[in-house]
Amino acid sequence: MARTNGHVSIRSAISAARQAFIGVAVLSAVSNILMLISPLFMMQVYDRVLASHSIPTLAALSLLAAGIYAVLAIIEILRSKILLQIGRRLDEQLSEPSIMATLAAPAAGQDGESSAPLRDLDQIRQFMSGPGPIAIADLPWIPVFVFLLYLFHPLFGLAVVGGAIVLLSLTLCSEFLLRNPSKRAAQMLASRWELSESGRRNADTLRAMGMQDAFAARIETAHEKYSAENLRGSNLTATFTAIAKIFRLALQSGMLALGALLVIDQLASAGVIIAASVLTSKALAPIEMATVQWRNFISARQSARRLQETFDRIEPEAAEMLLPMPNRSLSVAGLAVAAPGSGKALVQNVSVSLFAGQGVGIIGPSGSGKSCLGRALVGAWPALRGTIRLDGAELTQWNSDRLGPSIGYLPQIVELFAGTVAENIGRFSPSATPEKIMEAAKLANVHDLILSLPNGYDTQVGAGGGTLSGGQRQRIGLARALFGNPFVVVLDEPNSNLDAEGEEALTSAIMGARQKGAIVVVIAHRANMLKVVDHLIVVNNGTMSAFGPRDEILSKLKTRPDEVRRTA
């Protein structure tokens, strides 16, 4: 994988395909040389065959031309296949970091425009695999054809130079006029996609609350803006393409007229007329193709810039120093946490020390920063200030794939992923065995519930877990959090969708995890959750106001356990 200063580099990935590009350039050189067969064949037919009426000469010329055209066909196929391989190679090098960037974008504070790396990669690959690079490889051969035309007669050379200047001017104008519309269209497309995806995820809410028409109107407005901007760009592209095409055809006809004048004045042969017209077409074809492909080139360039900016904003993982899996302590010192991409602390002044087997509850008013603290403890949100250490090592010293099995996290809003119940509990890990999956399910006391589903552990949950109830998703999410006996388990309002039976199972699961040596952090809004912890963290107005043994903190708050809910 191509990297520069630890970051993935698109330029380096393209440079890695340098030899393939050289191959395309060499094939283009051979192709352009062999393309001379067409004007030369016509010259020989007009000047030799028609003058001598020689059938053998015509047959020999035809066989030679047929052989060369067969070689040209092979070269064109090889050139296209090499470009396809270049696109595939780019995809191989950039697909993994693009997928990781998509997943890491929210934590890096990326906005909607920058959170579609895979779409940007598709745009780059499509351009690199298409006719755009072929047009670029053919451009250097324009002077060769101009020189040959000049050899026929200087007026031919001057005419085609003038035509090339006009077409190049059209290409530069299209660059100037299409740059901003293409950028705005890409932004509007991303906005429309985000809105439609949001509507799909919240279809039930929209339908239940009569918001479908209003939200559909928002999507329609975004669609109309994109369509209008895309139409503007397409109109410009179509205009420049048509002008370039008609101008080239007119110039070819002009070259025929010029050739006729030269023949009349006996300054050129009849065969030169056709040869000059064909060479003119060949000389100007790369410029015309470049004009046609310019919009794709601009889109690919903008996609490459966006994708590189996305890669640069995401900090590379720590070097893979294989630290032993944590099993002793979690310590937080002077921690301040802000939302990704924001410099404003949502919770601060957090300093706690916890050891294996302990449980801590985080309580406080709504909006005080409890969930923010929970996200920071599992590494989902980076620390603005301060440190979070596991067995003395900061989280930044761990590679997330290495540390992941030691972390269990149940977010406030539980979403499962398209797949089976077993795959979700096993975190889609190839090493997740049925025994480990069932162990986690039994630890979360959800084994019997899963068996009651239509296909048991093989039940498909659908996107977001939509085929399950909120309580079922929460309990399966708890099993996922406990999979592999993680050392740090953070549960954000784990009983919000549970009935009495579910809460009892949750309590048993938390105590079981603690007995296995896990540090369990419970963000609680209900007093009955506090009986499973031995320490409390109190958060008020984004600041930790107290930390210590549960009973001692409750005594200081002068609040009975069954009254904590009002404080929390």
Side-chain angles (χ1 to χ4, degrees):
M1 188 182 302
R3 290 183 178 270
T4 301
N5 297 326
H7 292 282
V8 178
S9 172
I10 297 175
R11 185 184 297 274
S12 297
I14 294 176
S15 296
R18 185 183 296 108
Q19 290 185 340
F21 282 116
I22 292 173
V24 171
V26 170
L27 289 175
S28 295
V30 176
S31 174
N32 279 278
I33 292 172
L34 294 182
M35 280 291 184
L36 295 174
I37 184 60
S38 179
L40 292 176
F41 177 77
M42 292 181 180
M43 284 184 65
Q44 295 304 313
V45 168
Y46 273 87
D47 294 343
R48 291 181 181 273
V49 175
L50 294 182
S52 64
H53 301 282
S54 173
I55 300 300
T57 302
L58 178 61
L61 289 173
S62 299
L63 287 174
L64 177 62
I68 292 176
Y69 282 128
V71 173
L72 268 174
I74 295 172
I75 289 174
E76 290 300 313
I77 293 172
L78 288 175
R79 190 161 62 164
S80 298
K81 287 184 176 293
I82 290 174
L83 287 173
L84 289 173
Q85 289 300 313
I86 289 174
R88 186 181 68 86
R89 179 70 181 274
L90 282 175
D91 188 76
E92 288 178 349
Q93 289 194 307
L94 298 177
S95 60
E96 181 182 349
S98 295
I99 292 170
M100 297 304 295
T102 300
L103 301 178
Q110 301 278 17
D111 56 18
E113 175 190 350
S114 303
S115 62
L118 285 174
R119 291 203 299 271
D120 288 333
L121 177 58
D122 286 340
Q123 184 68 50
I124 298 169
R125 185 186 65 248
Q126 288 170 7
F127 176 78
M128 298 304 295
S129 302
I134 292 178
I136 295 173
D138 286 343
L139 283 173
W141 287 89
I142 293 176
V144 175
F145 296 118
V146 172
F147 177 72
L148 290 175
L149 284 166
Y150 186 85
L151 292 179
F152 288 161
H153 195 279
L155 288 179
F156 284 135
L158 293 175
V160 80
V161 167
I165 291 173
V166 172
L167 289 178
L168 285 173
S169 299
L170 288 173
T171 303
L172 293 175
C173 286
S174 67
E175 152 73 7
F176 178 75
L177 294 176
L178 284 171
R179 184 186 305 166
N180 289 332
S182 296
K183 184 176 181 180
R184 289 194 298 267
Q187 293 171 341
M188 292 173 183
L189 178 62
S191 177
R192 187 195 68 175
W193 186 87
E194 293 287 344
L195 276 174
S196 60
E197 184 64 16
S198 176
R200 186 194 65 80
R201 289 196 308 266
N202 298 280
D204 292 343
T205 301
L206 296 175
R207 185 180 300 110
M209 300 179 67
M211 297 169 60
Q212 280 183 311
D213 289 344
F215 199 82
R218 292 192 66 191
I219 298 177
E220 180 65 24
T221 299
H223 177 73
E224 289 176 355
K225 289 181 178 179
Y226 164 69
S227 296
E229 198 64 52
N230 187 58
L231 181 61
R232 186 177 296 112
S234 297
N235 281 332
L236 286 170
T237 300
T239 299
F240 282 113
T241 300
I243 292 174
K245 179 179 179 180
I246 298 304
F247 177 80
R248 183 172 63 84
L249 291 174
L251 184 60
Q252 283 183 257
S253 298
M255 295 293 279
L256 289 172
L258 177 61
L261 287 174
L262 294 174
V263 171
I264 291 172
D265 291 339
Q266 298 184 349
L267 298 175
S269 65
V272 169
I273 299 177
I274 304 300
S277 178
V278 174
L279 278 176
T280 299
S281 175
K282 183 58 185 172
L284 299 181
I287 303 178
E288 183 183 354
M289 179 62 72
T291 302
V292 173
Q293 292 294 319
W294 201 253
R295 190 181 186 193
N296 294 333
F297 170 70
I298 292 174
S299 297
R301 185 177 62 185
Q302 291 174 344
S303 294
R305 184 182 299 116
R306 281 195 304 269
L307 188 57
Q308 189 62 63
E309 289 174 353
T310 301
F311 289 154
D312 291 343
R313 287 189 186 126
I314 297 173
E315 290 299 323
E317 289 273 11
E320 184 70 19
M321 183 67 183
L322 296 181
L323 298 173
M325 303 299 281
N327 59 11
R328 299 193 310 274
S329 65
L330 166 67
S331 60
V332 180
L335 179 66
V337 183
S342 170
K344 182 181 179 181
L346 299 177
V347 62
Q348 56 190 336
N349 298 332
V350 179
S351 296
V352 299
S353 293
L354 298 168
F355 299 93
Q358 291 186 328
V360 60
I362 303 178
I363 61 174
S366 296
S368 58
K370 303 185 298 297
S371 295
C372 300
L373 178 57
R375 294 187 185 104
L377 292 178
V378 297
W381 281 14
L384 184 64
R385 293 186 300 275
T387 60
I388 302 173
R389 296 178 181 273
L390 291 173
D391 290 0
E394 283 194 53
L395 287 184
T396 53
Q397 297 179 28
W398 299 84
N399 180 281
S400 59
D401 288 341
R402 171 74 174 171
L403 181 61
S406 296
I407 300 293
Y409 180 49
L410 182 69
Q412 195 170 17
I413 300 175
V414 180
E415 280 199 22
L416 302 180
F417 304 101
T420 66
V421 171
E423 287 173 328
N424 273 273
I425 292 176
R427 306 185 184 187
F428 293 90
S429 172
S431 61
T433 63
E435 292 76 17
K436 291 182 179 179
I437 292 170
M438 283 189 286
E439 179 186 358
K442 290 176 180 178
L443 184 59
N445 288 290
V446 74
H447 176 69
D448 293 335
L449 184 151
I450 294 173
L451 293 180
S452 69
L453 295 175
N455 295 307
Y457 281 89
D458 292 324
T459 300
Q460 293 286 336
V461 302
T467 63
L468 304 175
S469 69
Q472 289 174 327
R473 287 197 301 270
Q474 198 155 36
R475 293 182 67 180
I476 291 173
L478 176 63
R480 179 178 65 187
L482 298 177
F483 175 77
N485 298 312
F487 176 58
V488 176
V489 180
V490 176
L491 310 176
D492 194 346
E493 297 188 37
N495 57 344
S496 59
N497 292 311
L498 300 182
D499 54 18
E501 179 184 351
E503 286 203 9
E504 183 178 348
L506 173 64
T507 299
S508 174
I510 293 174
M511 295 307 297
R514 290 184 57 188
Q515 290 171 3
K516 288 178 174 290
I519 296 174
V520 181
V521 180
V522 181
I523 300 171
H525 271 286
R526 296 183 187 176
N528 55 356
M529 277 291 95
L530 299 185
K531 64 184 179 183
V532 298
V533 301
D534 51 17
H535 285 72
L536 284 181
I537 297 173
V538 181
V539 181
N540 278 306
N541 297 322
T543 302
M544 189 185 79
S545 59
F547 167 69
R550 178 193 61 190
D551 296 336
E552 180 181 327
I553 295 298
L554 292 177
S555 176
K556 289 182 179 179
L557 292 174
K558 298 181 180 179
T559 306
R560 291 170 55 84
D562 59 350
E563 296 173 340
V564 171
R565 183 178 177 184
R566 289 181 294 177
T567 301

